[in-house]
C-alpha cells in the first residue's frame, strides 16, 4: 500500500512527525546498513558519541556488542517492515520498527528505523518521491546548533532559532522571557553572532547584581572628579556597547529612576556621562531578559509602561527545560561529551540514570543540568544516587564546621546567623546573584536576605 507524503491525521510530513515525538531512537541507513542519519538519543542508548555513530554500519554495532540483533538488516533482507524490542548494552529496551523504502524496481533504497510507530501501516513510500532528499530536508534542517552553543532539538527551540535568524539582521529591540537558567544570555549571544554587529562588543549587565547607588555610574559612566579619588574619565556600559549589543539581564530589577534615564537613551540613541555636559551618540542593539512577568509589574507601578513597550518589540519566550524533553536529551549528550573531554574521563550514561534525569523537574534548568552532569562525570558514581552522595557529604561538612567553630560560636543565635548566611550565599550563587529569584526560592522577602547576610558578617567580624 502506498502512502502520501503527509500524515492524514495531522497533516504533517511523516519524517517531521518523527523528530517531533518524545525522545526516540532513529536510524536512517542505506541498503548496506551504513548509517546516514541518527540523533543524540540513539547515541545515548548505546553509549557512543553521535559523530562516531554516524560513521558506523549497523552490522558493526552488533558485532561490537552494542545490541544483540539488528532489525534494520532484517528489514533489508526481507524488504518488509520489522518490529521488535531492541535491547542495548546500556540497559535500554526500545520497541522499534524498521521500515524499508523501496525504489520503483522493488529494491531497498533506504531503511528508517525508529522507536515510534508510524500512524499509517505501510511497507514502502512512493517510488517517485526523492526519498533521500526528503529525509535530509526534514531531519538535516533540525540539527543541533552546536557550533553556536545552542541545543535545538525540540520544536519550541527550533522555532526560537528560526525567529532569531529572521530578526538578527535588524536592530529591533528584543525581550527574552524565561526561568532562571534557561539560557537567555545564550540566545542573546546567538542573535549578536548572527547579526551585522557580530564584530562589535557584547556587553552583558545583570541588573539584579548592581547596587542601586552605583547603577548610574555603571550604565552611563562619569567624568573625572565626579567621584572622590577618581582622576580618570570612565565610559559607561552603554557607551562601551557602541557598535555591538547591550544585554540587560534581569531588567525587572532596574530601579525606577534608572528606567526613566534608560528610556531617554533608547529614544535618542545618545548617552551623557555623570557630570558631563555633552551627549555622546551610541549605536548599539538592546536585548533585555527577565524571568518575571513584566506586564504585571507595569500594572503594579513597579516598571514603566513606556519602557516596557520600548524594549518589548520582539518578545521571545524560552520554555523551561522540563517542557523540552528533546532538548534535554541533546544537552545531556553535549555536556557528557564536553566534561569527558575536559576531565579526561570516559563516563557513559546508563539507562537507569537517563530515565531518572528525564523525569526530574530541573527547576534550575540548563544551569542545574550542567552542574549535575559535571558531578556525574567527575565522581563517576556507581550504584549510589547523587542525592545520597550529597547528603553524606553535606552532613560531614556540617559536623566539621560545628567542631571547628563551637568555641568561637558558643551561642545558638550566632551559629544560626552564620549557617543561614552561608546557605543564603549558596542560593544567591545558584541564582547568579539575582536577589529576587533567591528570595522567591527561600520564600522570604528580598530585604531579609541582605539583613541576614549582614548579620552573618557582623558575627564573624566580632567573634
Amino acid at each position: 500500500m502506498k502512502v502520501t507524503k503527509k500524515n492524514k491525521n495531522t497533516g504533517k510530513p511523516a519524517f517531521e512527525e518523527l523528530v517531533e515525538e518524545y525522545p526516540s531512537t532513529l536510524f536512517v541507513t542505506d541498503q548496506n546498513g551504513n548509517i546516514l542519519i541518527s540523533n543524540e538519543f540513539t547515541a545515548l542508548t548505546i553509549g557512543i558519541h553521535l559523530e562516531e555513530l554516524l560513521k558506523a554500519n549497523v552490522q558493526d554495532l552488533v558485532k561490537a556488542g552494542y545490541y544483540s540483533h539488528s532489525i534494520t538488516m532484517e528489514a533489508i533482507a526481507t524488504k518488509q517492515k520489522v518490529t521488535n524490542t531492541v535491547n542495548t548494552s546500556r540497559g535500554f529496551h526500545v520497541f522499534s520498527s524498521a521500515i524499508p523504502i523501496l525504489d520503483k524496481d522493488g529494491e531497498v533504497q533506504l531503511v528508517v528505523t525508529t522507536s515510534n510507530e508510524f500512524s499509517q501501516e505501510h511497507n514502502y513510500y512512493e517510488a517517485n518521491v526523492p526519498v533521500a532528499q526528503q529525509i535530509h530536508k526534514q531531519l538535516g534542517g533540525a540539527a543541533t546548533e552546536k557550533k553556536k552553543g545552542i541545543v535545538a532539538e525540540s520544536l519550541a527551540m527550533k522555532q526560537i532559532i528560526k525567529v532569531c535568524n529572521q530578526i538578527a539582521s535588524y536592530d529591533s529591540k528584543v525581550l527574552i522571557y524565561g526561568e532562571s537558567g534557561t539560557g537567555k544570555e545564550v540566545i542573546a549571544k546567538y542573535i549578536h553572532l548572527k547579526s551585522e554587529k557580530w564584530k562589535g562588543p557584547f556587553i552583558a549587565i545583570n541588573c539584579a547584581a548592581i547596587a542601586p547607588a552605583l547603577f548610574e555610574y555603571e550604565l552611563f559612566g562619569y567624568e573625572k572628579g565626579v567621584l572622590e579619588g577618581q582622576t580618570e574619565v570612565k565610559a559607561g556600559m552603554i557607551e562601551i556597547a557602541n557598535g555591538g549589543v547591550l544585554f540587560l539581564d534581569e531588567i525587572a530589577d532596574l530601579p525606577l529612576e534608572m528606567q526613566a534615564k534608560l528610556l531617554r537613551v533608547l529614544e535618542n540613541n545618545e548617552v551623557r556621562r555623570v557630570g558631563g555636559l555633552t551627549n555622546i551618540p551610541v549605536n548599539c542593539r538592546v536585548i533585555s531578559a527577565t524571568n518575571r512577568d513584566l506586564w504585571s509589574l507595569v500594572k503594579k507601578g513597579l516598571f514603566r509602561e513606556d519602557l516596557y513597550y520600548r524594549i518589548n518589540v520582539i518578545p521571545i519566550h524560552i520554555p523551561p527545560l522540563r517542557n523540552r524533553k528533546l532538548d534535554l536529551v541533546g544537552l545531556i549528550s553535549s555536556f557528557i561529551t564536553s566534561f569527558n573531554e575536559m576531565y579526561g574521563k570516559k563516563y557513559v550514561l546508563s539507562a537507569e540514570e537517563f530515565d531518572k534525569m528525564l523525569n526530574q523537574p530541573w527547576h534550575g534548568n540548563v544551569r542545574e543540568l550542567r552542574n549535575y552532569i559535571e558531578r556525574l562525570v567527575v565522581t563517576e558514581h556507581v550504584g549510589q544516587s547523587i542525592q545520597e552522595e550529597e547528603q553524606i557529604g553535606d552532613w560531614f561538612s556540617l559536623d566539621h564546621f560545628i567542631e571547628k567553630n563551637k568555641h568561637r560560636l558558643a551561642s545558638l543565635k550566632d551559629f544560626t546567623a552564620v549557617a543561614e548566611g552561608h546557605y543564603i550565599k549558596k542560593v544567591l550563587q545558584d541564582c547568579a546573584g539575582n536577589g529576587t529569584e533567591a528570595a522567591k526560592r527561600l520564600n522570604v522577602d528580598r530585604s531579609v536576605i541582605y539583613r541576614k547576610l549582614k548579620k552573618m558578617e557582623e558575627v564573624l567580624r566580632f567573634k
Side-chain angles (χ1 to χ4, degrees):
M1 181 180 77
K2 294 184 179 181
V3 299
T4 57
K5 286 180 282 184
K6 291 190 175 182
N7 183 305
K8 294 178 181 178
N9 297 321
T10 65
K12 296 178 181 178
F15 292 106
E16 186 173 320
E17 286 191 337
L18 237 141
V19 240
E20 288 181 20
E21 291 289 345
Y22 196 79
S24 61
T25 57
L26 171 68
F27 281 129
V28 177
T29 68
D30 63 15
Q31 68 272 25
N32 298 313
N34 296 311
I35 299 171
L36 306 175
I37 300 174
S38 190
N39 62 11
E40 294 284 7
F41 180 63
T42 306
L44 278 174
T45 63
I46 59 178
I48 64 176
H49 299 321
L50 179 58
E51 291 79 5
E52 184 181 348
L53 181 62
L54 292 172
K55 299 174 184 177
N57 182 289
V58 289
Q59 296 179 90
D60 296 333
L61 297 177
V62 172
K63 290 177 183 177
Y66 288 112
Y67 49 86
S68 58
H69 176 68
S70 171
I71 63 172
T72 299
M73 295 309 299
E74 189 177 341
I76 291 173
T78 63
K79 299 182 182 180
Q80 298 290 323
K81 175 181 175 180
V82 178
T83 299
N84 208 338
T85 298
V86 176
N87 301 317
T88 79
S89 60
R90 300 306 304 167
F92 288 83
H93 309 288
V94 186
F95 187 71
S96 305
S97 293
I99 303 170
I101 298 172
L102 310 181
D103 61 21
K104 60 184 178 180
D105 297 321
E107 297 300 321
V108 175
Q109 183 182 8
L110 297 169
V111 179
V112 178
T113 304
T114 175
S115 61
N116 289 331
E117 291 279 352
F118 283 95
S119 56
Q120 294 169 298
E121 289 296 325
H122 53 278
N123 289 327
Y124 59 94
Y125 289 81
E126 276 188 281
N128 60 355
V129 177
V131 182
Q133 294 178 18
Q134 182 185 355
I135 293 175
H136 281 285
K137 181 180 179 182
Q138 295 297 337
L139 295 180
T144 302
E145 289 279 351
K146 286 184 177 177
K147 293 181 180 179
K148 306 293 189 302
I150 297 177
V151 170
E153 302 287 352
S154 69
L155 280 180
M157 284 306 297
K158 289 172 193 170
Q159 185 61 32
I160 287 172
I161 296 302
K162 182 179 179 181
V163 170
C164 290
N165 291 336
Q166 289 174 337
I167 67 172
S169 59
Y170 304 98
D171 279 344
S172 303
K173 293 168 183 62
V174 179
L175 179 59
I176 305 173
Y177 292 91
E179 291 181 5
S180 179
T182 49
K184 298 185 288 293
E185 185 168 347
V186 173
I187 292 297
K189 286 180 177 177
Y190 179 84
I191 295 172
H192 174 226
L193 290 174
K194 298 286 286 187
S195 73
E196 295 178 358
K197 286 183 165 63
W198 67 273
K199 290 184 179 179
F202 180 91
I203 304 299
I205 301 173
N206 188 334
C207 298
I210 302 176
L214 299 177
F215 236 116
E216 189 169 11
Y217 300 112
E218 291 292 329
L219 245 62
F220 298 98
Y222 50 81
E223 298 291 344
K224 57 183 178 181
V226 170
L227 296 177
E228 186 177 350
Q230 290 290 341
T231 59
E232 300 293 332
V233 172
K234 182 181 184 299
M237 295 292 193
I238 299 175
E239 187 178 342
I240 295 172
N242 190 37
V245 167
L246 178 69
F247 177 58
L248 299 172
D249 197 11
E250 306 298 349
I251 195 169
D253 290 298
L254 190 67
L256 276 170
E257 181 184 354
M258 291 306 304
Q259 291 178 26
K261 294 182 178 181
L262 176 62
L263 179 64
R264 196 175 305 120
V265 172
L266 299 182
E267 288 178 340
N268 301 324
N269 292 319
E270 55 186 22
V271 64
R272 180 183 297 182
R273 297 175 187 151
V274 178
L277 300 176
T278 58
N279 293 330
I280 302 169
V282 288
N283 176 25
C284 63
R285 182 175 197 164
V286 176
I287 301 177
S288 308
T290 182
N291 59 7
R292 301 167 68 185
D293 183 353
L294 276 190
W295 183 243
S296 68
L297 296 179
V298 169
K299 290 188 288 186
K300 294 175 183 177
L302 300 176
F303 198 87
R304 291 181 64 103
E305 185 174 1
D306 46 7
L307 179 59
Y308 171 80
Y309 287 119
R310 177 63 68 173
I311 63 174
N312 192 26
V313 178
I314 300 173
I316 294 176
H317 179 261
I318 305 177
L321 188 57
R322 58 187 170 275
N323 295 341
R324 298 186 279 128
K325 297 296 185 183
L326 288 177
D327 291 333
L328 180 58
V329 174
L331 287 164
I332 289 171
S333 179
S334 176
F335 287 148
I336 288 175
T337 300
S338 176
F339 287 123
N340 272 338
E341 291 175 356
M342 183 184 298
Y343 297 116
K345 299 281 189 174
K346 294 182 179 179
Y347 178 80
V348 179
L349 193 68
S350 68
E352 181 184 5
E353 183 62 56
F354 177 78
D355 184 62
K356 183 170 67 176
M357 293 170 72
L358 201 62
N359 290 291
Q360 284 192 27
W362 301 114
H363 295 300
N365 292 289
V366 180
R367 187 181 294 117
E368 181 187 358
L369 175 67
R370 187 181 190 277
N371 293 340
Y372 185 92
I373 291 177
E374 183 173 7
R375 289 198 295 271
L376 283 181
V377 173
V378 170
T379 60
E380 292 187 276
H381 76 287
V382 179
Q384 184 182 47
S385 72
I386 282 290
Q387 287 84 355
E388 291 170 347
E389 195 172 288
E390 285 180 341
Q391 187 180 37
I392 294 169
D394 288 347
W395 280 113
F396 176 82
S397 300
L398 183 60
D399 287 342
H400 178 72
F401 178 78
I402 293 172
E403 185 64 30
K404 187 178 179 181
N405 294 280
K406 62 184 179 182
H407 301 298
R408 188 161 169 250
L409 304 174
S411 74
L412 180 61
K413 187 177 180 181
D414 285 346
F415 175 78
T416 302
V418 174
E420 285 184 334
H422 273 286
Y423 182 63
I424 289 170
K425 285 179 70 175
K426 174 60 179 171
V427 174
L428 271 171
Q429 192 177 36
D430 291 343
C431 296
N434 186 337
T436 302
E437 177 68 18
K440 190 185 302 181
R441 288 195 190 184
L442 294 168
N443 198 27
V444 297
D445 189 82
R446 185 174 173 178
S447 61
V448 173
I449 289 179
Y450 299 107
R451 186 169 68 247
K452 287 186 178 293
L453 287 175
K454 184 178 179 183
K455 179 63 178 175
M456 178 188 68
E457 292 172 359
E458 290 174 353
V459 170
L460 293 177
R461 187 182 303 121
F462 295 112
K463 290 289 177 180

